[in-house]
Amino acid sequence: MDMFVPGKVKLAGEIEVSSSKNAILPILAASLLSDETKVIKNVPDIRDVTVITELIHHLGVKVDYQDRNLYFTGGATSQNPPYELVRLIRASFLVMGPLLAKKGFVRVALPGGCAIGTRPIDLHLKGFEALGAQVTLSGGDVIARADRLYGNHVYLDFPSVGATENIMMAASLAEGTTYIENAALEPEIVDLANFLNSMGARISGAGTNVIRIEGVRQLGSTDYTPIPDRIEAGTFMVAAAATGGDVIIKNVIPEHLKAVTAKLLESNAVVEEDDDQVRVYRVEEIKPVYIKTLPYPGFPTDMQAQFMAYLSLGKGSSVITESVFENRFMHVAELLRMGAKITTEGRTAVIQGIRELTGARVKATDLRAGAALLIAGLTARGPTIIMNSEHIDRGYENIVGKFNRLGANIMRT
Ligand code: EPZ
């Protein structure tokens, strides 16, 4: 499905951010650790959530979605999530830790690669083995089995978000205490720990690089509201700055956006923070900045493409280094079609700011690249048509409605 984006828009008004996709996906997987009723509130209607919810339903859990609340009743009766769902999104791999801990056996198709890299899962599997599981590969599937999991020290060579989440979930029902060292610090990790603790887990240290999980016999029911989506918020902040508009973004935790705010301020945009909202506008010319993506609290890789679209405008050269994923510059070729002046060398891109971009027919290769093209299109002279725009809907709820509330006039074609 294509998206028609008119150019020369100055976004103005206010929007409300939805709950975080990257908090909700592991929380949905973690719900498999308990057979009681779990209620997860204010869940956005986005494709990645629908796919994981369907997968959990296929595992035998009763699922209801009413008034944006997800009701899970009962536990999993199967340990083998269907391939046709698993291959749709990488996050389906997050059910491995819970099923291993709860059922002692799990067989999951190896997650496919995606546009931004091979995305291995070696750290996840190393963690499961450290907890006493036998892990084997067979016919493209990963199989893990353990009569009982035992607490242990797990050192992560890289602070992987998914590996931290999978190991934390498995360790919640292990016998004894687990320490995850060099753990990821993302706010979504803290939210997952809070969700698990709300079901009776005993986790401390989430948000620091050592997380302590004291295993418990079983987990119970809960009623939980996930954190707001910091990447959706950041996307609208950058869109406001790029279009020279003036936007208030509500349902935000400014603390989660320190790196994005810092770079927006450095580039001459203005960011005014309240306790649960931010206002972004720009009157001065965009100033070039240097960005290096890093694990939290560094500059988020999920904001790299959007910032590149923004820095394509203005005077002077910006430099962006993508240190988290090995191939996350797919949006460069599309931005070049819109007249951007970008050169890449390995994981580094040099962006020479220009006066204005020109609308073109472009292709979304992944979720954040699609968002970057939408931002570029809003600023361009002439309309832009974004093909494969369904990538954007994977992680942004009602993105057309939200941008149109700010004056964008985007249409689906
Ligand atoms: C999560 O992916 C997010 N997805 C990604 O958001 C985000 O970009 C990423 O964290 C980094 O912040 C969800 O939370 C659902 P990683 P994840 O494990 O867990 C390497 C979006 O746009 N690695 O921290 O897959 C890996 O190859 C998505 O919303 C290993 O080498 O990220 C990558 O280079 C995109 N071995 C790096 O670590 C492993 O076992 C970061 O991966 C695991 C990861």
Side-chain angles (χ1 to χ4, degrees):
M1 178 168 43
D2 297 350
M3 215 179 248
F4 179 90
V5 182
K8 294 293 177 203
V9 168
K10 276 187 185 299
L11 298 174
E14 56 183 63
I15 54 110
E16 178 148 341
V17 166
S18 302
S19 297
S20 163
K21 163 178 88 78
N22 290 351
I24 288 172
L25 296 178
I27 281 173
L28 297 181
S31 67
L32 292 167
L33 286 162
S34 146
D35 295 337
E36 316 268 328
T37 300
K38 286 86 45 178
V39 183
I40 299 153
K41 295 192 152 163
N42 196 22
V43 175
D45 176 13
I46 54 177
R47 184 179 161 283
D48 276 10
V49 169
T50 311
V51 170
I52 292 285
T53 304
E54 218 176 291
L55 190 151
I56 289 172
H57 176 59
H58 271 267
L59 290 169
V61 177
K62 185 174 174 304
V63 176
D64 288 300
Y65 183 54
Q66 276 160 21
D67 310 325
R68 299 170 62 77
N69 299 331
L70 258 178
Y71 299 83
F72 288 134
T73 314
T77 50
S78 142
Q79 299 88 13
N80 189 348
Y83 173 71
E84 62 278 1
L85 283 173
V86 168
R87 71 177 182 76
L88 290 179
I89 69 170
R90 170 183 168 79
S92 40
F93 198 73
L94 292 172
V95 303
M96 192 156 197
L99 289 176
L100 174 63
K102 195 84 176 65
K103 300 284 178 190
F105 174 87
V106 56
R107 178 180 189 125
V108 182
L110 262 172
C114 66
I116 60 180
T118 50
R119 303 184 73 182
I121 50 166
D122 54 310
L123 298 176
H124 301 237
L125 304 181
K126 170 184 172 183
F128 296 151
E129 286 173 330
L131 300 180
Q134 291 81 43
V135 175
T136 51
L137 301 186
S138 151
D141 288 353
V142 188
I143 299 162
R145 52 166 63 91
D147 299 336
R148 194 92 179 83
L149 292 176
Y150 296 92
N152 199 348
H153 281 254
V154 182
Y155 175 77
L156 293 181
D157 308 46
F158 177 87
S160 153
V161 171
T164 303
E165 292 166 345
N166 238 334
I167 297 163
M168 187 158 75
M169 291 188 282
S172 299
L173 295 181
E175 192 156 320
T177 300
T178 296
Y179 292 87
I180 303 175
E181 282 137 9
N182 196 28
L185 310 179
E186 272 71 4
E188 293 75 27
I189 304 280
V190 178
D191 211 30
L192 176 61
N194 291 339
F195 175 76
L196 287 164
N197 286 342
S198 76
M199 294 195 291
R202 291 212 194 102
I203 299 171
S204 55
T208 74
N209 47 29
V210 180
I211 301 179
R212 180 181 185 278
I213 305 108
E214 192 185 322
V216 294
R217 298 289 310 157
Q218 68 176 21
L219 294 177
S221 60
T222 184
D223 177 320
Y224 194 81
T225 303
I227 54 173
D229 194 314
R230 62 191 167 98
I231 304 300
E232 181 188 357
T235 302
F236 278 99
M237 291 167 77
V238 171
T243 58
D246 185 342
V247 176
I248 289 179
I249 298 139
K250 301 167 90 79
N251 192 28
V252 166
I253 301 175
E255 181 58 34
H256 291 169
L257 285 153
K258 284 290 172 219
V260 171
T261 298
K263 288 300 166 183
L264 280 172
L265 293 172
E266 264 182 56
S267 71
N268 261 346
V270 178
V271 180
E272 291 170 358
E273 293 179 354
D274 272 336
D275 49 8
D276 66 349
Q277 67 177 44
V278 293
R279 176 186 172 205
V280 180
Y281 59 94
R282 177 174 63 76
V283 286
E284 307 286 333
E285 175 109 75
I286 298 169
K287 257 174 70 180
V289 295
Y290 278 33
I291 286 176
K292 180 172 186 180
T293 67
L294 286 166
Y296 194 88
F299 189 91
T301 173
D302 291 348
M303 283 300 304
Q304 180 257 106
Q306 300 92 309
F307 239 87
M308 191 183 285
Y310 169 52
L311 296 172
S312 301
L313 300 167
K315 283 204 180 72
S317 292
S318 297
V319 179
I320 295 183
T321 302
E322 170 55 60
S323 75
V324 176
F325 287 105
E326 74 264 21
N327 177 30
R328 202 168 193 175
F329 283 153
M330 310 285 278
H331 43 285
V332 171
E334 302 304 314
L335 289 171
L336 293 176
R337 289 175 49 73
M338 299 177 73
K341 289 203 177 339
I342 305 168
T343 52
T344 59
E345 180 72 39
R347 292 189 177 206
T348 297
V350 177
I351 304 105
Q352 171 69 38
I354 59 172
R355 199 172 55 78
E356 66 179 4
L357 294 165
T358 45
R361 179 177 277 276
V362 290
K363 201 185 303 176
T365 48
D366 70 83
L367 166 70
R368 308 304 176 185
L373 295 172
L374 199 164
I375 291 170
L378 290 171
T379 71
R381 181 162 43 77
T384 294
I385 292 186
I386 303 174
M387 296 182 285
N388 303 346
S389 67
E390 57 280 0
H391 278 292
I392 306 176
D393 299 312
R394 288 186 49 174
Y396 290 94
E397 183 181 37
N398 184 25
I399 185 122
V400 172
K402 287 181 178 174
F403 270 106
N404 286 349
R405 275 197 59 179
L406 300 174
N409 284 325
I410 296 168
M411 284 178 289
R412 297 244 192 224
T413 55

